Amino acid sequence: MSASAAQAELSVTFIESAPKDRFVISNSGSCDIVSGTLRLELSSSKGALIFDVTGSGAGVEVYQPFELIEGRSALSKIPSVMDGQTALDLDIDHLKSGASIAFTIDVDDTLGAREITVTGSEISGATLHLTQGNRTNSAAFSSAATATLPSRSC
């Protein structure tokens, strides 16, 4: 007889859409994620992506401020996002197994011909970092516009 250890796994999907882009963060593991900070870092993306949250500043044409659409109870606070920012921190209080956090925002690329449309290849290389205490797990977005933090026992 063998017992399998409970696993923590976090997956993030970027969905390009007009006028609001969406990020969906899903706890697809078998245990809860408690007391951590999830950093979404765009500076390493192939398209040199930025958050475009105001009508003036670094972005182009359409802009959208950060809007949390799912998972408010999982966060200890709502993040403040500045126009042109390349990183966003989500302070997770308690994200239950099977639960999700989703938000909309506008993401622009600063290298391509169509800055208002972000493709999977442009977000590839962007990174996620989940820090809990003194431990950090990291993953990079693929050209499929997804990233999955490695499973770990919990």
Side-chain angles (χ1 to χ4, degrees):
M1 180 185 299
S2 67
S4 61
Q7 298 290 308
E9 185 169 282
L10 199 62
S11 61
V12 180
T13 302
F14 170 74
I15 303 159
E16 165 65 40
S17 185
K20 297 178 180 183
D21 300 322
R22 179 185 295 216
F23 285 89
V24 179
I25 300 132
S26 302
N27 181 354
S28 53
S30 56
C31 54
D32 297 356
I33 295 173
V34 180
S35 298
T37 299
L38 179 66
R39 172 166 274 231
L40 172 59
E41 180 63 59
L42 301 178
S43 65
S44 56
S45 65
K46 300 280 190 225
L49 303 180
I50 61 167
F51 294 111
D52 181 14
V53 298
T54 66
S56 61
V60 294
E61 295 182 34
V62 177
Y63 68 92
Q64 294 295 324
F66 176 92
E67 181 183 356
L68 187 65
I69 57 173
E70 182 181 356
R72 172 63 184 107
S73 63
L75 300 176
S76 59
K77 66 180 178 178
I78 303 295
S80 175
V81 182
M82 306 292 290
D83 197 59
Q85 192 170 304
T86 61
L88 180 142
D89 289 336
L90 294 171
D91 292 325
I92 298 172
D93 182 44
H94 191 139
L95 182 60
K96 294 180 180 181
S97 174
S100 295
I101 299 167
F103 63 90
T104 58
I105 196 165
D106 185 33
V107 178
D108 289 348
D109 77 80
T110 61
L111 299 178
R114 289 191 34 90
E115 292 120 339
I116 61 170
T117 303
V118 174
T119 65
S121 63
E122 291 170 322
I123 198 167
S124 69
T127 54
L128 301 173
H129 308 280
L130 177 63
T131 302
Q132 293 176 286
N134 61 0
R135 182 178 182 169
T136 299
N137 286 340
S138 299
F141 275 85
S142 69
S143 60
T146 61
T148 301
L149 287 167
S151 294
R152 63 175 181 81
S153 297
C154 52

